[in-house]
Amino acid sequence: MNETISRLEEVTYDDAIVRKFLLACMVFAGVAFAAGLLAALQLAFFPLNMELPWLTFGRLRPLHTNAAIFAFAGNAIFAGIYHSTQRLLKTRMYSDRLSAIHFWGWQLIIVAAAISLPLGFSQGKEYAELEWPIDIAITLIWVIFAVNFFGTLAIRREKHMYVALWFYIATIVTVAVLHIVNSIEIPWSYMNSYPVWAGVQDALVQWWYGHNAVAFFLTTPFLGLMYYYLPKAANRPVYSYRLSIIHFWGLVFIYIWAGPHHLLYTSLPEWAQTLGMIFSIMLWAPSWGGMINGLLTLRGAWHLLRTDPIIKFMVAALTFYGMATFEGPLLSIKSVSAIGHYTDWIVGHVHAGALGWNGFLSFAMIYYLVPKLWKTKLYSDRLANVHFWLGFLGIVLYYVSMVAAGITQGLMWKAIGPEGQLVYPDFVETVVRIVPLYWARALGGAFFLGGFMVMCYNVYRTIAASTEVSNETVRVRNTRYSSAGEGHRALEGMVTVFSVLSLIAILVGSVIEIYPTLSLHSYIAKTANIDPYSPLEIAGRDIYIREGCYVCHSQQIRPMVSEVLRYGSPSTMEESIYDHPFQWGSKRTGPDLARVGKKYPDLWHFRHMVDPRSVVEKSIMPSYSWLVKDKTDFLSLRKKVSVLRNLGVPYSPEQVAQADRLAEEQAKSVAQAIHDQGGPEGLERREIVALIAYLQALGQKEKQPRPTDQVTVKE
Amino acid sequence: MIVLYLMIPISLALGIGFVGAFVWSVRNGQMDDTETPAHRILED
């Protein structure tokens, strides 16, 4: 290299921002874990739903997942990125002001989520539940983060970009694209919207997003952190730097294509499913290469595993990473997916990753950073060890119980007797069987939370003992430029390049946003043999989404004998063609609802929603008694139906203009039916009627029934 | 399935972007030395 002239320069790192992100991370970790524990207990003991709308499982689970991913993991990532990037690049962050906006903006988004999700503002798409104003805020804050990060890259004093930085770059770029594409939606009120995509298209975009959220929010940034903090904590270089580079490029090229493995056996075209499966299996190689690279970093220093709690956490985290990335491709194999999909096995799989990999790596980072940032020693190594073992025990308990529950469910659902009949035709039997495992899982969660609280105390005592907090100042060698002038010129060059790039990004973004809205009519097959939902059913569907029924119920029957026997003929692509958003679901705590329409009389649904135990004795479904009190929002229906019409759902202009009146009429007849069957009187303006209308419409929207010989079944 | 005409290009664009970044990193000499960077980060 010819730029050998280098001199010492003084740099003061911005550590205050790292401290802020770290504390925010801990606060929201507490919220996420507590919400998770309560949700787990609700499945074991339904009365804990407490008949409070904002606390029922359907609304609590999105709060838990969003808090865990975006608040806990998000703040952990930001803390680690702000700390390590400055040191890797030997420069302070590009702009303190942008750092501050990023921090406060992100916390505000979290608060907005924590208020809006319990209130039932939801898009009905997993991990993308947040409504459109919050989506926009996320985009803005993310761009600010990106500018700040790339600005820092531009002014770096270190020519070489360490592999961790590459992981951060992939994270920042990809998350932006995923978030924008999956959040293209048309508002129908200041806090509600319908996604532009419908049915299978929405499913595909959602799981492209969902899978890559795991890849680029929970994997790549944490790998970057691992490649920085593990060598730092062990004070030895990573086993093979070359392997780490291969790990990075391998992952980023393969991950993006693996999303369809969430949709195996659905009505997604077969070739797309196979593509997703192949790429998922390919992921084995780079993932395991990375894990081994991390573990071998400790070669010759394994004694640290006994003495250093930070190393302990990191090694366990890497092991869980290896476990989860082994299991993921395994679950993507169609025959394994046939058993595992929709069961709690997937929940166990996710938590091996989230608690084991993301959780433990974050804890390791916190134990490493807190003493450094507050210039003191950790209060107690022993407590850190206690934390480790509590957490470890918690994860093992969680994982084992959920895999056992999942396989039990999977086998019971599929069990077919000698005469070709279902062995467990009563779905609730398969629920009751795993309730003890739900208790075991909750106990695991409690251990994990307990360990976390020990850490909070430890960190609190550490910080309390700190006498000085200041930003670290170091003298560094500039290896990048031979003179200051050139540095500035290069910086200006970067700024231009950067502006052009952002412009292109914005243009592409706009085209993506605008193009589909213009051409949507062409998305809908003119010949669709499907009637759209009536306005009242739309109102009911929005209640279904608000209450988060999709976190327990799927609406997608797979082409397998056992499913056809239990639920009816397999779902087709056409049937959900007007579903904005799709509600195929991902987990069956309750039975599939794709064809529940007309299965029961209206009164049955009425009693079931008010108190599920009154019709299904052992049900664990929450009671939704408030639906009998709350009034249906007829007024907004005209707006809703007109938005749907613009999205290509074939409503006539009259249907739009009369949406509320049509809905009121249908509500009257449903209310009358409930009354005639022996239920209470005068329900026509109540939400329960709208919901029942929707449930009774499920699977009933085909104009002409299909000839039965078209049904293909695989096993 | 028309959404695939949108998603495949986006995925490809991301992929091509990463290829570009890869080519840049090779040209820029980011991969010339695969030994010292691992040691360098250990000193603050």
Side-chain angles (χ1 to χ4, degrees), chain A residues 341-343 409-410 412-414 422 424-428 430-431 552-571 575 587-597 599-600 698-700 706:
Chain A
H341 191 44
Y342 293 132
T343 73
Q409 283 175 312
M412 286 176 87
W413 293 343
K414 276 175 89 77
L422 290 173
Y424 305 98
D426 246 349
F427 188 89
V428 77
T430 72
V431 179
C552 283
H553 289 287
S554 60
Q555 290 186 15
Q556 180 72 205
I557 303 168
R558 298 180 292 175
M560 300 169 183
V561 176
S562 52
E563 302 229 339
V564 172
L565 285 175
R566 191 182 297 277
Y567 303 119
S569 58
S571 296
E575 281 172 301
K587 174 165 83 55
R588 286 179 181 158
T589 303
D592 189 278
L593 297 181
R595 302 200 187 283
V596 81
K599 181 177 168 188
Y600 303 106
L698 285 170
Q700 299 292 317
R706 260 164 311 151

Side-chain angles (χ1 to χ4, degrees), chain A residues 180-248:
Chain A
I180 291 173
V181 176
N182 193 39
S183 307
I184 306 178
E185 57 229 5
I186 313 257
W188 54 261
S189 87
Y190 72 100
M191 259 314 269
N192 299 89
S193 62
Y194 290 132
V196 163
W197 322 112
V200 63
Q201 321 236 24
D202 198 30
L204 204 54
V205 176
Q206 159 64 21
W207 285 114
W208 177 72
Y209 162 90
H211 174 72
N212 285 305
V214 173
F216 288 92
F217 207 91
L218 299 177
T219 307
T220 53
F222 282 89
L223 285 170
L225 298 179
M226 185 277 283
Y227 276 119
Y228 181 76
Y229 288 105
L230 179 62
K232 291 297 270 188
N235 197 26
R236 44 189 44 237
V238 64
Y239 171 64
S240 161
Y241 188 72
R242 193 168 307 180
L243 184 54
S244 72
I245 296 177
I246 298 173
H247 182 196
F248 172 75

Side-chain angles (χ1 to χ4, degrees), chain A residues 88 158-162 166 174 177 197 201 204-205 208 231-232 237 241-242 249 253 256-257 271 522, chain B residues 1-4 6-7 10-11 14-15 18-19 21-22 25 28 30-31 34 37-42 44:
Chain A
L88 286 169
E158 173 60 55
K159 182 173 195 308
H160 184 267
M161 286 156 55
Y162 184 67
W166 286 99
T174 316
V177 176
W197 322 112
Q201 321 236 24
L204 204 54
V205 176
W208 177 72
K232 291 297 270 188
Y241 188 72
R242 193 168 307 180
W249 293 104
F253 286 124
I256 201 95
W257 303 97
W271 63 267
S522 66
Chain B
M1 296 316 298
I2 295 169
V3 74
L4 284 174
L6 181 68
M7 290 179 56
I10 291 174
S11 299
L14 275 173
F18 286 128
V19 171
F22 182 72
S25 74
N28 190 254
Q30 295 285 336
M31 308 226 185
T34 53
H39 294 268
R40 199 198 71 232
I41 69 152
L42 296 179
D44 275 320

Side-chain angles (χ1 to χ4, degrees), chain A residues 491-554:
Chain A
L491 171 60
E492 282 154 22
M494 279 297 274
V495 170
T496 327
V497 171
F498 195 65
S499 317
V500 173
L501 282 181
S502 2
L503 190 70
I504 295 174
I506 292 167
L507 286 179
V508 172
S510 322
V511 171
I512 292 170
E513 297 228 10
I514 295 161
Y515 166 78
T517 45
L518 296 181
S519 63
L520 261 171
H521 294 278
S522 66
Y523 282 25
I524 312 286
K526 299 253 170 352
T527 52
N529 183 28
I530 298 289
D531 282 324
Y533 299 113
S534 74
L536 184 68
E537 289 154 15
I538 290 290
R541 190 166 200 275
D542 288 337
I543 295 167
Y544 185 93
I545 292 169
R546 183 189 73 198
E547 298 303 342
C549 309
Y550 65 93
V551 304
C552 283
H553 289 287
S554 60

